Coordinates of all heavy atoms in Angstrom, one line a residue:
M28 N 0.6 -14.2 -5.8 CA -0.7 -14.9 -5.5 C -1.7 -13.9 -4.9 O -1.4 -13.1 -4.1 CB -0.3 -15.9 -4.4 CG -1.5 -16.8 -4.0 SD -1.1 -18.0 -2.9 CE -2.0 -17.5 -1.4
I29 N -2.8 -14.2 -5.5 CA -4.1 -13.4 -5.0 C -5.0 -14.2 -4.2 O -5.3 -15.4 -4.5 CB -4.8 -12.9 -6.4 CG1 -3.9 -11.9 -7.1 CG2 -6.1 -12.1 -6.0 CD1 -4.5 -11.5 -8.5
E30 N -5.5 -13.6 -3.2 CA -6.5 -14.2 -2.4 C -7.8 -13.5 -2.5 O -7.8 -12.3 -2.6 CB -6.1 -14.3 -0.9 CG -4.8 -15.1 -0.5 CD -4.5 -15.2 0.9 OE1 -5.3 -15.0 1.8 OE2 -3.2 -15.4 1.2
Y31 N -8.8 -14.3 -2.6 CA -10.1 -13.6 -2.6 C -10.8 -13.9 -1.5 O -10.9 -14.9 -1.0 CB -10.8 -14.3 -3.9 CG -10.2 -14.1 -5.2 CD1 -9.3 -14.9 -5.8 CD2 -10.4 -12.9 -5.9 CE1 -8.6 -14.6 -7.0 CE2 -9.8 -12.5 -7.2 CZ -9.0 -13.4 -7.7 OH -8.3 -13.2 -9.0
L32 N -11.5 -12.7 -1.0 CA -12.2 -12.9 0.2 C -13.7 -12.5 -0.2 O -14.0 -11.5 -0.6 CB -11.8 -11.7 1.2 CG -10.2 -11.9 1.5 CD1 -9.9 -10.7 2.4 CD2 -9.9 -13.2 2.2
F33 N -14.5 -13.5 0.1 CA -15.9 -13.4 -0.2 C -16.6 -13.6 1.1 O -16.2 -14.2 2.0 CB -16.4 -14.5 -1.2 CG -15.8 -14.3 -2.6 CD1 -14.9 -15.1 -3.0 CD2 -16.4 -13.5 -3.5 CE1 -14.2 -14.9 -4.3 CE2 -16.0 -13.3 -4.7 CZ -14.7 -14.0 -5.1
H34 N -17.9 -12.9 1.2 CA -18.7 -13.1 2.4 C -19.0 -14.6 2.3 O -19.4 -15.2 1.3 CB -20.0 -12.2 2.2 CG -20.8 -12.1 3.3 ND1 -21.6 -13.1 3.6 CD2 -20.8 -11.2 4.3 CE1 -22.3 -12.7 4.8 NE2 -21.7 -11.6 5.3
P35 N -19.2 -15.2 3.7 CA -19.6 -16.6 3.7 C -20.9 -16.9 2.9 O -21.1 -18.0 2.4 CB -19.8 -16.8 5.1 CG -18.9 -15.7 5.8 CD -19.0 -14.6 4.9
D36 N -21.9 -15.9 2.9 CA -23.1 -16.2 2.1 C -22.8 -16.5 0.6 O -23.5 -17.3 0.0 CB -24.0 -15.1 2.3 CG -24.7 -15.0 3.7 OD1 -24.5 -15.8 4.6 OD2 -25.2 -13.8 4.0
A37 N -21.8 -15.8 0.1 CA -21.5 -16.0 -1.3 C -20.8 -17.4 -1.6 O -21.0 -17.8 -2.6 CB -20.5 -14.9 -1.7
L38 N -20.3 -18.0 -0.6 CA -19.7 -19.3 -0.8 C -20.6 -20.5 -0.6 O -20.3 -21.6 -1.0 CB -18.5 -19.5 0.3 CG -17.4 -18.3 0.2 CD1 -16.5 -18.6 1.2 CD2 -16.7 -18.5 -1.2
S39 N -21.8 -20.1 0.0 CA -22.8 -21.2 0.3 C -23.9 -21.0 -0.9 O -24.0 -19.9 -1.4 CB -23.4 -21.2 1.5 OG -24.1 -19.9 1.7
G40 N -24.5 -22.1 -1.3 CA -25.6 -21.9 -2.4 C -25.0 -22.0 -3.7 O -24.0 -22.6 -4.0
D41 N -25.9 -21.4 -4.7 CA -25.7 -21.6 -6.0 C -24.8 -20.4 -6.7 O -24.8 -20.3 -7.9 CB -26.9 -21.5 -6.8 CG -27.8 -22.7 -6.3 OD1 -27.2 -23.7 -5.8 OD2 -29.0 -22.7 -6.5
H42 N -24.1 -19.7 -5.9 CA -23.3 -18.6 -6.4 C -22.1 -19.2 -7.2 O -21.2 -19.9 -6.7 CB -22.8 -17.6 -5.4 CG -23.9 -17.1 -4.4 ND1 -24.8 -16.2 -5.0 CD2 -24.3 -17.2 -3.2 CE1 -25.7 -15.8 -4.1 NE2 -25.3 -16.5 -3.0
D43 N -22.0 -18.5 -8.4 CA -20.8 -18.9 -9.2 C -19.8 -17.9 -9.3 O -20.0 -16.8 -9.8 CB -21.2 -19.2 -10.8 CG -20.1 -19.7 -11.6 OD1 -19.0 -20.0 -11.1 OD2 -20.3 -19.6 -12.8
L44 N -18.8 -18.0 -8.5 CA -17.7 -17.0 -8.3 C -16.7 -17.0 -9.5 O -16.0 -16.0 -9.4 CB -17.0 -17.1 -6.9 CG -17.9 -17.2 -5.8 CD1 -17.3 -17.5 -4.5 CD2 -18.7 -15.9 -5.6
D45 N -16.7 -17.9 -10.3 CA -15.8 -18.0 -11.4 C -15.6 -16.8 -12.3 O -14.5 -16.2 -12.7 CB -15.9 -19.3 -12.3 CG -15.4 -20.5 -11.6 OD1 -14.7 -20.4 -10.6 OD2 -15.8 -21.6 -12.0
P46 N -16.9 -16.2 -12.7 CA -16.7 -14.9 -13.5 C -16.1 -13.8 -12.7 O -15.3 -13.0 -13.5 CB -18.2 -14.7 -13.7 CG -18.9 -15.9 -13.7 CD -18.2 -16.6 -12.6
I47 N -16.2 -13.8 -11.5 CA -15.5 -12.6 -10.7 C -14.2 -12.8 -10.7 O -13.3 -11.8 -10.9 CB -16.2 -12.5 -9.3 CG1 -17.7 -12.2 -9.3 CG2 -15.5 -11.5 -8.5 CD1 -18.4 -12.4 -8.0
V48 N -13.7 -14.0 -10.4 CA -12.3 -14.4 -10.3 C -11.6 -14.2 -11.8 O -10.5 -13.5 -11.9 CB -11.9 -15.7 -9.8 CG1 -10.6 -16.1 -9.9 CG2 -12.6 -15.9 -8.3
D49 N -12.3 -14.7 -12.7 CA -11.8 -14.5 -14.1 C -11.6 -13.1 -14.5 O -10.5 -12.8 -15.1 CB -12.7 -15.3 -15.1 CG -12.7 -16.8 -14.8 OD1 -11.7 -17.4 -14.2 OD2 -13.6 -17.5 -15.5
F50 N -12.6 -12.4 -14.3 CA -12.6 -10.9 -14.6 C -11.4 -10.2 -13.8 O -10.6 -9.4 -14.5 CB -13.9 -10.1 -14.4 CG -13.8 -8.8 -14.7 CD1 -13.9 -8.3 -16.1 CD2 -13.9 -7.8 -13.7 CE1 -13.9 -7.0 -16.4 CE2 -13.8 -6.5 -14.0 CZ -13.8 -6.0 -15.4
N51 N -11.2 -10.4 -12.5 CA -10.3 -9.8 -11.9 C -8.9 -10.2 -12.4 O -7.9 -9.4 -12.3 CB -10.3 -10.1 -10.3 CG -9.4 -9.4 -9.5 OD1 -9.6 -8.1 -9.4 ND2 -8.5 -10.2 -8.7
E52 N -8.7 -11.3 -12.6 CA -7.4 -11.9 -13.2 C -7.1 -11.3 -14.6 O -5.9 -11.1 -14.8 CB -7.3 -13.5 -13.2 CG -7.3 -14.0 -11.7 CD -7.1 -15.4 -11.7 OE1 -7.2 -16.2 -12.6 OE2 -7.1 -15.9 -10.6
L53 N -8.1 -11.1 -15.4 CA -8.0 -10.5 -16.7 C -7.5 -9.1 -16.6 O -6.4 -8.6 -17.1 CB -9.3 -10.5 -17.5 CG -9.2 -9.6 -18.8 CD1 -8.3 -10.2 -19.7 CD2 -10.7 -9.5 -19.3
V54 N -8.1 -8.4 -15.7 CA -7.8 -6.9 -15.4 C -6.3 -6.9 -14.8 O -5.6 -6.0 -15.1 CB -8.8 -6.2 -14.3 CG1 -8.3 -4.9 -14.0 CG2 -10.2 -6.2 -15.1
G55 N -6.1 -7.7 -13.9 CA -4.7 -7.8 -13.3 C -3.6 -8.0 -14.4 O -2.5 -7.3 -14.4
R56 N -3.7 -9.0 -15.3 CA -2.9 -9.1 -16.3 C -2.7 -7.9 -17.3 O -1.6 -7.5 -17.7 CB -3.3 -10.4 -17.1 CG -3.0 -11.6 -16.6 CD -3.2 -12.8 -17.4 NE -4.5 -12.9 -18.1 CZ -5.6 -13.4 -17.6 NH1 -5.6 -14.1 -16.4 NH2 -6.7 -13.5 -18.3
Q57 N -3.9 -7.3 -17.5 CA -3.8 -6.0 -18.3 C -3.1 -5.1 -17.7 O -2.3 -4.2 -18.3 CB -5.2 -5.6 -18.7 CG -5.9 -6.6 -19.7 CD -7.4 -6.2 -19.8 OE1 -8.0 -5.5 -19.0 NE2 -7.9 -6.7 -21.0
D58 N -3.4 -4.8 -16.3 CA -2.6 -3.7 -15.6 C -1.2 -4.0 -15.5 O -0.3 -3.1 -15.7 CB -3.1 -3.8 -14.2 CG -4.6 -3.0 -14.0 OD1 -5.0 -2.5 -15.0 OD2 -5.1 -3.0 -13.0
N59 N -0.8 -5.3 -15.4 CA 0.7 -5.6 -15.4 C 1.3 -5.3 -16.6 O 2.4 -4.8 -16.7 CB 0.8 -7.0 -15.0 CG 0.6 -7.4 -13.5 OD1 0.6 -6.4 -12.6 ND2 0.3 -8.6 -13.2
D60 N 0.6 -5.7 -17.7 CA 1.1 -5.4 -19.0 C 1.4 -3.8 -19.3 O 2.5 -3.5 -19.8 CB 0.2 -5.8 -20.1 CG 0.7 -5.8 -21.5 OD1 1.9 -6.1 -21.8 OD2 0.0 -5.2 -22.4
V61 N 0.3 -3.0 -18.9 CA 0.5 -1.6 -19.1 C 1.7 -1.1 -18.2 O 2.5 -0.3 -18.6 CB -0.7 -0.9 -18.6 CG1 -0.6 0.6 -18.5 CG2 -1.9 -1.1 -19.6
C62 N 1.9 -1.6 -16.9 CA 2.9 -1.1 -16.1 C 4.3 -1.4 -16.6 O 5.3 -0.7 -16.7 CB 2.7 -1.6 -14.7 SG 1.4 -0.9 -13.8
E63 N 4.5 -2.7 -17.2 CA 5.6 -3.1 -17.9 C 5.9 -2.2 -19.0 O 7.2 -1.8 -19.2 CB 5.6 -4.5 -18.3 CG 5.5 -5.5 -17.0 CD 5.4 -6.9 -17.3 OE1 5.1 -7.3 -18.6 OE2 5.3 -7.8 -16.4
R64 N 4.9 -1.8 -19.9 CA 5.1 -1.0 -21.0 C 5.6 0.4 -20.6 O 6.5 1.0 -21.2 CB 3.9 -0.8 -21.9 CG 3.6 -2.2 -22.6 CD 2.3 -2.0 -23.4 NE 2.0 -3.3 -24.0 CZ 1.2 -3.4 -25.0 NH1 0.7 -2.3 -25.6 NH2 0.9 -4.6 -25.5
V65 N 5.0 0.9 -19.5 CA 5.4 2.2 -19.0 C 6.9 2.3 -18.6 O 7.5 3.1 -18.9 CB 4.4 2.7 -17.9 CG1 5.0 3.9 -17.2 CG2 3.1 3.0 -18.6
Q66 N 7.2 1.3 -17.9 CA 8.5 1.1 -17.4 C 9.6 1.0 -18.5 O 10.7 1.7 -18.5 CB 8.8 -0.1 -16.4 CG 8.0 0.1 -15.2 CD 8.5 1.4 -14.4 OE1 9.7 1.6 -14.3 NE2 7.5 2.2 -13.9
R67 N 9.2 0.4 -19.5 CA 10.1 0.3 -20.7 C 10.3 1.7 -21.3 O 11.4 2.1 -21.8 CB 9.6 -0.8 -21.8 CG 10.0 -2.1 -21.3 CD 9.8 -3.1 -22.5 NE 8.4 -3.1 -23.1 CZ 7.4 -3.9 -22.8 NH1 7.7 -4.8 -21.6 NH2 6.2 -4.0 -23.2
G68 N 9.2 2.3 -21.4 CA 9.2 3.7 -22.0 C 10.0 4.7 -21.3 O 10.8 5.5 -21.7
V69 N 9.8 4.5 -19.9 CA 10.6 5.4 -19.0 C 12.2 5.3 -19.1 O 12.9 6.2 -19.0 CB 10.2 5.3 -17.5 CG1 11.1 6.0 -16.6 CG2 8.7 5.8 -17.3
R70 N 12.5 4.1 -19.3 CA 13.9 3.7 -19.5 C 14.5 4.1 -20.9 O 15.7 4.0 -21.2 CB 14.2 2.2 -19.2 CG 14.1 1.8 -17.8 CD 14.6 0.5 -17.5 NE 14.0 -0.6 -18.3 CZ 13.0 -1.4 -17.9 NH1 12.6 -1.3 -16.6 NH2 12.6 -2.3 -18.8
S71 N 13.6 4.5 -21.8 CA 14.1 4.8 -23.2 C 14.8 6.1 -23.1 O 14.6 7.0 -22.4 CB 12.8 4.9 -24.0 OG 13.1 5.7 -25.2
R72 N 15.8 6.3 -24.1 CA 16.5 7.4 -24.2 C 15.6 8.6 -24.7 O 16.0 9.8 -24.5 CB 17.7 7.3 -25.2 CG 18.8 6.3 -24.7 CD 19.8 6.2 -25.8 NE 19.2 5.7 -27.1 CZ 19.9 5.3 -28.1 NH1 21.3 5.5 -28.1 NH2 19.2 5.0 -29.2
A73 N 14.5 8.2 -25.3 CA 13.7 9.2 -25.7 C 12.8 9.9 -24.6 O 12.2 11.0 -24.9 CB 12.7 8.7 -26.9
F74 N 12.7 9.3 -23.5 CA 11.9 10.0 -22.4 C 12.7 11.0 -21.8 O 13.8 10.8 -21.4 CB 11.7 8.7 -21.4 CG 10.9 9.2 -20.3 CD1 9.5 9.4 -20.3 CD2 11.4 9.6 -19.0 CE1 8.8 9.7 -19.3 CE2 10.5 9.8 -17.9 CZ 9.4 10.0 -18.1
D75 N 12.0 12.1 -21.7 CA 12.6 13.3 -21.0 C 11.9 13.5 -19.7 O 12.7 13.6 -18.7 CB 12.4 14.5 -21.9 CG 12.9 15.8 -21.6 OD1 13.0 16.0 -20.3 OD2 13.4 16.5 -22.4
H76 N 10.7 13.5 -19.7 CA 10.0 13.8 -18.4 C 8.5 13.4 -18.6 O 8.0 13.4 -19.7 CB 10.2 15.2 -17.8 CG 9.6 16.2 -18.8 ND1 10.1 16.7 -19.9 CD2 8.3 16.9 -18.6 CE1 9.3 17.5 -20.5 NE2 8.1 17.7 -19.7
G77 N 7.8 13.1 -17.5 CA 6.3 13.0 -17.5 C 5.6 14.2 -17.2 O 6.2 15.1 -16.8
L78 N 4.3 14.0 -17.3 CA 3.4 15.2 -17.0 C 2.4 14.7 -16.0 O 1.9 13.6 -16.0 CB 2.7 15.5 -18.4 CG 3.5 16.1 -19.4 CD1 2.7 16.4 -20.7 CD2 4.2 17.4 -19.0
L79 N 2.1 15.6 -15.1 CA 1.0 15.4 -14.2 C -0.2 16.2 -14.6 O -0.1 17.5 -14.7 CB 1.5 15.7 -12.8 CG 2.5 14.8 -12.2 CD1 3.0 15.3 -10.8 CD2 1.9 13.5 -12.0
P80 N -1.4 15.6 -14.8 CA -2.5 16.5 -15.2 C -3.0 17.4 -14.0 O -2.7 17.1 -13.0 CB -3.6 15.5 -15.6 CG -3.2 14.2 -15.0 CD -1.7 14.2 -14.8
A81 N -3.7 18.4 -14.4 CA -4.2 19.4 -13.4 C -5.1 18.6 -12.3 O -5.1 19.1 -11.1 CB -5.0 20.5 -14.0
K82 N -5.7 17.6 -12.8 CA -6.5 16.9 -11.7 C -5.8 16.2 -10.6 O -6.3 15.9 -9.6 CB -7.5 15.8 -12.4 CG -6.7 14.6 -12.9 CD -7.7 13.8 -13.6 CE -7.0 12.4 -14.1 NZ -6.6 11.6 -13.0
D83 N -4.5 16.0 -10.8 CA -3.6 15.6 -9.8 C -2.9 16.7 -9.0 O -1.8 16.6 -8.7 CB -2.6 14.6 -10.5 CG -3.2 13.3 -11.0 OD1 -4.3 13.0 -10.6 OD2 -2.6 12.8 -11.9
S84 N -3.5 17.7 -8.8 CA -2.9 19.0 -8.1 C -2.3 18.6 -6.9 O -1.3 19.1 -6.4 CB -4.0 20.0 -7.9 OG -4.9 19.6 -7.0
H85 N -2.8 17.7 -6.1 CA -2.2 17.3 -4.7 C -1.0 16.5 -4.9 O -0.1 16.7 -4.2 CB -3.2 16.3 -3.9 CG -4.5 17.0 -3.5 ND1 -4.5 18.0 -2.6 CD2 -5.8 16.8 -3.9 CE1 -5.7 18.4 -2.4 NE2 -6.4 17.8 -3.2
V86 N -0.9 15.8 -6.0 CA 0.5 15.1 -6.4 C 1.5 16.2 -6.8 O 2.6 16.1 -6.4 CB 0.3 14.0 -7.4 CG1 1.7 13.4 -7.8 CG2 -0.7 12.9 -7.0
I87 N 1.0 17.2 -7.6 CA 1.9 18.2 -8.0 C 2.5 18.9 -6.8 O 3.7 19.3 -6.6 CB 1.2 19.1 -9.0 CG1 0.9 18.4 -10.2 CG2 2.1 20.3 -9.2 CD1 -0.2 19.1 -11.2
L88 N 1.6 19.3 -5.7 CA 1.9 20.0 -4.7 C 3.0 19.2 -3.9 O 4.0 19.7 -3.2 CB 0.7 20.5 -3.8 CG -0.1 21.4 -4.4 CD1 -1.4 21.7 -3.6 CD2 0.7 22.8 -4.7
F89 N 2.7 17.9 -3.6 CA 3.6 17.0 -2.9 C 4.9 17.0 -3.5 O 6.0 17.1 -2.8 CB 3.0 15.6 -2.8 CG 4.0 14.7 -2.3 CD1 4.0 14.6 -0.8 CD2 4.6 13.8 -3.0 CE1 5.0 13.6 -0.1 CE2 5.7 12.9 -2.3 CZ 5.7 12.9 -1.0
E90 N 5.0 16.8 -4.9 CA 6.2 16.8 -5.6 C 7.0 18.1 -5.4 O 8.2 18.0 -5.2 CB 6.0 16.6 -7.1 CG 7.4 16.6 -7.8 CD 7.1 16.5 -9.4 OE1 6.1 17.2 -9.8 OE2 7.9 15.9 -10.0
Q91 N 6.3 19.2 -5.6 CA 7.0 20.6 -5.4 C 7.6 20.6 -4.0 O 8.8 21.1 -3.8 CB 6.1 21.7 -5.7 CG 5.7 21.7 -7.1 CD 4.6 22.7 -7.4 OE1 3.8 23.1 -6.4 NE2 4.4 23.0 -8.7
R92 N 6.8 20.2 -2.9 CA 7.3 20.4 -1.7 C 8.5 19.4 -1.3 O 9.5 19.8 -0.7 CB 6.2 20.1 -0.6 CG 6.6 20.1 0.9 CD 5.5 19.9 1.7 NE 5.8 20.0 3.1 CZ 5.2 19.8 4.1 NH1 3.9 19.6 4.0 NH2 5.6 19.8 5.4
Y93 N 8.4 18.1 -1.9 CA 9.5 17.2 -1.8 C 10.6 17.7 -2.4 O 11.8 17.7 -1.8 CB 9.0 15.9 -2.4 CG 10.3 14.9 -2.5 CD1 10.8 14.2 -1.5 CD2 10.9 14.8 -3.7 CE1 11.8 13.4 -1.5 CE2 12.1 13.9 -3.8 CZ 12.4 13.3 -2.8 OH 13.5 12.4 -2.9
L94 N 10.7 18.2 -3.6 CA 11.9 18.8 -4.3 C 12.4 19.9 -3.6 O 13.7 20.1 -3.4 CB 11.5 19.2 -5.7 CG 11.2 18.0 -6.6 CD1 10.7 18.4 -8.0 CD2 12.3 17.0 -6.7
R95 N 11.6 20.9 -3.0 CA 12.1 22.0 -2.2 C 12.7 21.6 -1.0 O 13.8 22.1 -0.7 CB 10.8 22.9 -1.9 CG 11.1 24.2 -1.3 CD 9.9 25.1 -1.1 NE 8.9 24.5 -0.3 CZ 7.6 24.1 -0.8 NH1 7.4 24.4 -1.9 NH2 6.8 23.5 0.0
D96 N 12.1 20.6 -0.2 CA 12.8 20.1 1.0 C 14.1 19.4 0.7 O 15.0 19.6 1.4 CB 11.8 19.2 1.7 CG 10.5 19.9 2.2 OD1 10.5 21.2 2.3 OD2 9.7 19.2 2.8
R97 N 14.2 18.6 -0.4 CA 15.2 17.7 -0.8 C 16.4 18.7 -1.1 O 17.6 18.5 -0.7 CB 14.9 16.8 -2.0 CG 16.1 16.1 -2.3 CD 16.0 15.5 -3.7 NE 16.1 16.5 -4.7 CZ 16.0 16.4 -6.0 NH1 15.6 15.1 -6.5 NH2 16.1 17.4 -6.8
D98 N 16.1 19.8 -1.7 CA 17.2 20.8 -2.3 C 17.5 21.8 -1.1 O 18.3 22.5 -1.4 CB 16.6 21.4 -3.5 CG 16.5 20.4 -4.7 OD1 17.2 19.3 -4.6 OD2 15.8 20.7 -5.6
G99 N 16.8 21.7 0.0 CA 17.1 22.6 1.0 C 16.5 24.1 0.9 O 16.9 25.1 1.5
N100 N 15.5 24.3 0.1 CA 14.9 25.6 -0.3 C 13.7 25.7 0.6 O 13.0 24.8 0.9 CB 14.5 25.7 -1.7 CG 15.7 25.6 -2.8 OD1 16.9 26.1 -2.3 ND2 15.5 24.9 -3.9
S101 N 13.7 26.9 1.2 CA 12.5 27.2 2.1 C 11.3 27.8 1.2 O 11.6 28.5 0.3 CB 12.8 28.2 3.0 OG 11.8 28.7 3.8
A102 N 10.1 27.4 1.7 CA 9.0 28.0 1.0 C 8.7 29.5 1.4 O 7.9 30.1 0.7 CB 7.7 27.2 1.4
D103 N 9.4 29.8 2.5 CA 9.2 31.3 3.0 C 10.0 32.3 2.2 O 11.1 32.0 1.7 CB 9.5 31.3 4.3 CG 8.5 30.5 5.2 OD1 7.3 30.3 4.8 OD2 9.0 29.8 6.2

């Protein structure tokens, strides 16, 4: 269930909030569909590993630190 929070001024008067709600629900359905497809792909025997793009360097560093800590390896 999604709850929409609008400023009280938006709820009074002639403001039509339906386009905002409709668009948000459309995007939500599309996001859910993409996530479900990704999960099916990850469970596939053809899936070997994923890639993190360079723009996600913080995620890459976190992953490396997590794996190092998990495996008991020191960074020093």
Side-chain angles (χ1 to χ4, degrees):
M28 183 174 110
I29 297 174
E30 293 185 26
Y31 295 92
L32 304 176
F33 293 100
H34 191 278
D36 291 346
L38 300 175
S39 63
D41 299 339
H42 302 292
D43 182 9
L44 303 177
D45 287 342
I47 296 169
V48 171
D49 292 345
F50 178 74
N51 187 62
E52 291 182 2
L53 170 66
V54 171
R56 285 191 303 272
Q57 292 172 339
D58 285 351
N59 288 340
D60 184 50
V61 169
C62 289
E63 289 172 1
R64 289 178 186 202
V65 167
Q66 290 304 312
R67 282 194 300 271
V69 168
R70 288 193 305 258
S71 166
R72 291 180 304 186
F74 181 77
D75 184 321
H76 65 280
L78 299 174
L79 293 172
K82 70 179 184 68
D83 291 334
S84 62
H85 295 294
V86 176
I87 294 168
L88 292 173
F89 174 81
E90 177 191 36
Q91 290 170 345
R92 181 176 179 180
Y93 169 80
L94 293 173
R95 188 175 59 241
D96 291 349
R97 181 196 70 182
D98 296 339
N100 298 325
S101 173
D103 300 323

